[in-house]
Amino acid sequence: VVMVASCEAYSDAWGPMAALLARCWPDRPRSWGLVMVTDRSHAPPPFVTLSTGEDLGWCRNLLAALAVLEPDRLLLLQEDFWPTAPWRTPAIIEAARLVTQLWTPVGCVRLYPCPGPAVEPPPFQAFGEVRIGESYRVSCQAAVWRTRFLEEVLKAVVEREGERASAAHFELTGTVSAERLPWKV
C-alpha cells in the first residue's frame, strides 16, 4: 500500500501530488494501491479515499487507517512532499523486502535521506542506518514502514502527546520512542 497522510485542510495539494506521482513513478506496481488518509474530503483518482470522518489528529488518523487496512508494510508519504525526479522502483521494492523479512530487525527504510544515514551502507547495498540518538530518526519523509513498527511509534506518541498528536510530534517524540524499540531505521 502507498499511503498519503493528509486532511481536508491540505486538499489543494492532492491534485498536484497525484500528477507528480504519475509522472515520477510511472512504473509503480499496480498491486500497491494508492490510499489517501483524510478526515472528510474525497481524494482525486487514482487515490482511494480512507476517511476517518473527523480529524482525529495526524497520529490517530494514521492509526485508524492502519486498523482498517492492516497491511504488513506501507510506503508512507505526505501530501506536500512532492516528488520532483523519477523514482527508482527496484530500490523501493528492495526497501519493502527489507521491512517484511522476518529475520531482519528493520522497521523503516527511508527513501529520501533527510537527514541521511549515520552509517553508510556496505558496498552493493542501497540503504544505510540511522542510529539511535540521531535527530529525526523518525521522519515524515517518504519511507517504507513495517506496519507493526509504525503502529508502535504512533501509539507511543499518542500516549505521550495526547489525542491531537501531530506530524511534528511524530518526528520529535517518535524519535525518542523508537529508541526503546528493537527496530533499525
Side-chain angles (χ1 to χ4, degrees):
V1 171
V2 178
M3 187 177 288
V4 179
S6 191
C7 66
E8 188 173 32
Y10 295 100
S11 62
D12 59 337
W14 299 350
M17 172 57 130
L20 288 167
L21 266 177
R23 182 172 50 174
C24 293
W25 199 16
D27 61 340
R28 172 184 57 86
R30 294 302 167 233
S31 62
W32 293 24
L34 289 173
V35 175
M36 178 75 67
V37 178
T38 182
D39 49 354
R40 292 179 190 90
S41 298
H42 291 285
F47 291 107
V48 171
T49 303
L50 199 160
S51 176
T52 59
E54 64 178 297
D55 187 5
L56 305 171
W58 193 89
C59 292
R60 289 183 61 219
N61 285 349
L62 277 179
L63 282 169
L66 294 176
V68 171
L69 293 177
E70 299 179 345
D72 58 343
R73 67 169 185 260
L74 64 103
L75 170 52
L76 182 60
L77 306 172
Q78 299 288 33
E79 82 286 308
D80 60 349
F81 292 173
W82 293 347
T84 58
W87 286 17
R88 297 183 317 233
T89 299
I92 296 169
I93 290 171
E94 174 63 12
R97 187 189 66 75
L98 285 171
V99 300
T100 54
Q101 297 298 318
L102 295 178
W103 51 268
T104 62
V106 177
C108 173
V109 176
R110 287 194 198 166
L111 302 177
Y112 184 77
C114 183
V119 179
E120 290 300 318
F124 310 112
Q125 290 188 6
F127 305 105
E129 182 181 343
V130 180
R131 288 196 175 150
I132 290 175
E134 295 290 324
S135 297
Y136 294 97
R137 184 167 184 253
V138 169
S139 171
C140 289
Q141 292 289 345
V144 177
W145 290 83
R146 185 183 302 232
T147 304
R148 197 168 115 213
F149 175 61
L150 178 59
E151 286 176 325
E152 289 179 33
V153 172
L154 288 166
K155 287 175 182 176
V157 173
V158 169
E159 183 177 305
R160 182 164 176 190
E161 300 297 337
E163 292 186 6
R164 306 303 291 173
S166 67
H169 292 126
F170 176 72
E171 291 188 325
L172 299 174
T173 304
T175 292
V176 174
S177 298
E179 291 180 357
R180 293 185 286 261
L181 300 172
W183 305 91
K184 292 183 180 185
V185 175

